[in-house]
Amino acid sequence: MKLAKKIMAAALALTMAAGMAACGDKEDSSNGSSVAPGKDLDDSQKQIVDAHAGELPDKELSNKTITWMAHYDINPTEGKVKSPAIQLFETKYGGQIAYKQTTWENRYNDLAAAVMANESPDFFPADDMDTFPKGAIKAMFQPVDDYIDLDSELWAASKSVCDSFMFNGKHYIAAIEAQPTYACVYNRTTINENGYDDPAELFANGEWDWDIFTEMCLDFTDPDQDKYALDGYWYNKALSETSGVPMIGLEDGKLVQNMSDPAIEKVQERMYNLQKNGVVFPRSENNWKTRGDGANGEGLGSYLTLFVPIGLYAIECPPESCTPFGDIEAGEVMFVPMPKDPDSDTTYISARVHGYVICTGAPNPEGVAAYLDCEQVTNQAEDIKQITTDTLKNEYKWTDEMIEMRETLYQMAAETPVFDLQDGVSDDLSSLMMTVSQATMISGGGETTWAACRSENEVAVEYLINEANTSISAIPTED
């Protein structure tokens, strides 16, 4: 019961933290507040983007506005630079994106209400890995096949990723690419002051593994000095998925749970043995928030935290937004993949899909398809990719080494991805898996062995998986 209470409290904190998942999260416009405008591409960048317009299908959109619903605006705000895809959508099709704002907590309720009222938005983000398959089961999203030719040359680069999110012969996510879900972010000043080898150098030499990671975490942790090796909201999933096996996966169009997989058992026992030594910042003593006020990266900039596993979005921001991590312009902030199993030659990457779903009842799915074609073009063109690199370097003050490591993580996410669907099946399963995923590394001294966690929860997980598979089977198959 003690552990259950801890995890319930932690679950509330995680729900709050999830709302910070995008660097550009905005204040609620319903309270009359406003946000700073975004930045346009410069003239030379626009010319580079616009030169690719001829690679897109020639068509006239009868409706040039598509409506985006999310907890963040896809249009640039708060100093962020306009994406090349939006620039190309404007140039080629005269398109524009209207933002229908919601919150992280209410987004699915708001979407369901809009669909029921025949006021559906056009598209919705799939990046948080919680749309599939529950969105299809609940008839909130429709297959993309009727609007996007996934067998075309334009979509060939991401066809295999799209195929990872389908059942009954239908694709429900228009995937642009696989992206790394987490990076292990650290502060080089902390590494140097403690006499550790730089993780980036260890990774380059093939030595960045669980053994050295554990050694550094145990050496650094000193509660009397308020020093803890790990902090953040996602270290448990980030570490578990170094096994190469998702807790909840999809095989032959059916959901499966892998709690008894030997690779998961091995990494979870490592996690348990690590947390027995109290390496995680005790969020249980801080209202289940991370160090300080709960901002992403807190502790790295003050040299009291060693590692924060988090998405790259957290540092793909103007430098002033990244100060909790350290001084980017001074070269303090760096990151590597999560460590690999020392008995394996492969570093597996926890991956998410960067993609979109088309809402049921969408008034302008053709417009969405046109915009997503623009995303594909800009994601594949090397000269346009350079615009992103220039933005990271010139606007966000990234070093060349950071940019190279980012490219490496993206390449690894494409080659050795681990897609976990534990948050995409049902609310009941997501809640249960929050308990499961935190069991061996819960903050506050409540950690339990993986064997005990599995014994307590595996039957319930299997039941919910079977229930979802039954619902999937009831969805009409391909004609």
Side-chain angles (χ1 to χ4, degrees):
M1 182 62 70
K2 179 182 178 182
L3 176 60
K5 289 181 178 179
K6 286 177 176 290
I7 291 178
M8 282 296 290
L12 292 174
L14 275 172
T15 300
M16 293 172 61
M20 298 187 286
C23 182
D25 283 349
K26 308 299 178 286
E27 297 176 352
D28 187 346
S29 61
S30 64
N31 63 13
S33 62
S34 60
V35 295
K39 296 182 179 180
D40 206 351
L41 298 174
D42 63 35
D43 290 342
S44 63
Q45 291 171 332
K46 288 180 180 179
Q47 290 176 5
I48 292 172
V49 173
D50 292 349
H52 289 270
E55 300 170 23
L56 290 161
D58 291 322
K59 55 185 174 184
E60 181 70 25
L61 295 178
S62 59
N63 181 355
K64 300 183 186 302
T65 300
I66 55 177
T67 302
W68 161 257
M69 174 181 275
H71 59 291
Y72 60 96
D73 194 349
I74 200 172
N75 297 295
T77 53
E78 294 185 320
K80 298 275 285 184
V81 179
K82 180 191 289 184
S83 75
I86 292 178
Q87 170 66 30
L88 190 56
F89 185 50
E90 293 172 351
T91 298
K92 178 68 176 183
Y93 299 113
Q96 60 180 352
I97 301 175
Y99 177 36
K100 191 167 186 176
Q101 189 173 38
T102 182
T103 64
W104 173 270
E105 296 84 359
N106 294 324
R107 59 207 165 105
Y108 280 102
N109 290 334
D110 290 346
L111 176 60
V115 171
M116 290 289 290
N118 294 320
E119 297 177 351
S120 295
D122 290 303
F123 67 136
F124 192 90
D127 298 48
D128 293 302
M129 296 295 290
D130 62 355
T131 62
F132 179 87
K134 70 180 180 185
I137 292 172
K138 295 182 177 181
M140 288 189 286
F141 307 122
Q142 59 179 306
V144 303
D145 307 80
D146 291 341
Y147 307 104
I148 299 172
D149 183 4
L150 297 178
D151 292 318
S152 66
E153 183 178 350
L154 180 59
W155 284 82
S158 63
K159 176 61 161 56
S160 63
V161 183
C162 294
D163 288 347
S164 299
F165 302 94
M166 65 180 298
F167 52 73
N168 295 346
K170 297 287 188 180
H171 296 83
Y172 283 85
I173 295 180
I176 306 302
E177 65 178 344
Q179 294 184 341
T181 310
Y182 311 107
C184 189
V185 184
Y186 62 96
N187 189 303
R188 277 189 155 147
T189 297
T190 302
I191 294 295
N192 293 334
E193 288 182 349
N194 285 274
Y196 302 143
D197 291 331
D198 193 307
E201 295 179 10
L202 291 168
F203 173 70
N205 295 329
E207 300 171 346
W208 179 238
D209 60 25
W210 260 92
D211 288 344
I212 188 66
F213 175 81
T214 298
E215 179 183 323
M216 293 169 71
C217 287
L218 294 177
D219 181 77
F220 181 82
T221 299
D222 185 353
D224 292 338
Q225 299 296 319
D226 200 27
K227 295 169 61 178
Y228 294 91
L230 290 171
D231 201 359
Y233 297 101
W234 300 282
Y235 50 81
N236 44 12
K237 291 183 180 180
L239 292 173
S240 180
E241 290 168 22
T242 63
S243 66
V245 180
M247 287 282 190
I248 307 297
L250 191 70
E251 296 180 5
D252 300 323
K254 295 292 184 181
L255 294 162
V256 296
Q257 63 87 9
N258 297 309
M259 292 179 65
S260 293
D261 188 284
I264 287 182
E265 292 191 71
K266 180 179 180 180
V267 74
Q268 287 288 339
E269 283 305 307
R270 279 184 176 271
M271 292 164 63
Y272 172 71
N273 290 328
L274 191 57
Q275 181 53 11
K276 278 197 307 184
N277 292 279
V279 302
V280 171
F281 174 78
R283 290 186 291 116
S284 58
E285 300 171 11
N286 193 39
N287 197 29
W288 292 103
K289 298 184 297 185
T290 60
R291 188 189 296 274
D293 63 1
N296 288 329
E298 283 284 357
L300 287 184
S302 56
Y303 317 123
L304 294 173
T305 299
L306 189 58
F307 300 120
V308 173
I310 195 169
L312 288 174
Y313 64 81
I315 54 175
E316 292 175 345
C317 302
E320 59 271 18
S321 300
C322 300
T323 52
F325 293 89
D327 189 338
I328 283 187
E329 293 190 75
E332 283 193 329
V333 181
M334 189 54 192
F335 56 90
V336 287
M338 299 304 296
K340 73 178 183 68
D341 183 337
D343 298 325
S344 172
D345 293 330
T346 303
T347 299
Y348 292 100
I349 297 294
S350 175
R352 67 179 188 175
V353 58
H354 169 49
Y356 305 87
V357 286
I358 298 178
C359 302
T360 298
N364 191 9
E366 293 82 6
V368 173
Y371 171 72
L372 297 187
D373 283 347
C374 294
E375 284 250 1
Q376 280 289 12
V377 167
T378 58
N379 191 59
Q380 296 174 35
E382 292 300 325
D383 55 351
I384 294 180
K385 287 182 179 180
Q386 185 62 41
I387 295 176
T388 298
T389 299
D390 291 343
T391 297
L392 291 171
K393 189 170 184 177
N394 300 326
E395 298 289 337
Y396 302 158
K397 308 305 179 184
W398 277 35
T399 64
D400 290 339
E401 189 177 9
M402 293 172 72
I403 291 170
E404 291 174 7
M405 186 64 74
R406 180 183 186 271
E407 292 175 354
T408 298
L409 261 67
Y410 270 72
Q411 181 179 350
M412 295 171 71
E415 295 173 351
T416 57
V418 179
F419 292 120
D420 198 311
L421 303 180
Q422 62 181 275
D423 292 320
V425 177
S426 67
D427 292 343
D428 287 341
L429 183 63
S430 181
S431 178
L432 179 57
M433 292 307 296
M434 188 175 291
T435 298
V436 170
S437 68
Q438 296 182 93
T440 59
M441 293 199 82
I442 187 70
S443 168
E447 65 277 354
T448 187
T449 66
W450 184 245
C453 172
R454 194 179 67 244
S455 175
E456 183 176 348
N457 297 291
E458 192 168 18
V459 171
V461 170
E462 185 70 21
Y463 173 83
L464 292 172
I465 289 295
N466 290 337
E467 185 178 59
N469 279 328
T470 298
S471 297
I472 290 171
S473 298
I475 296 176
T477 58
E478 184 177 17
D479 295 336

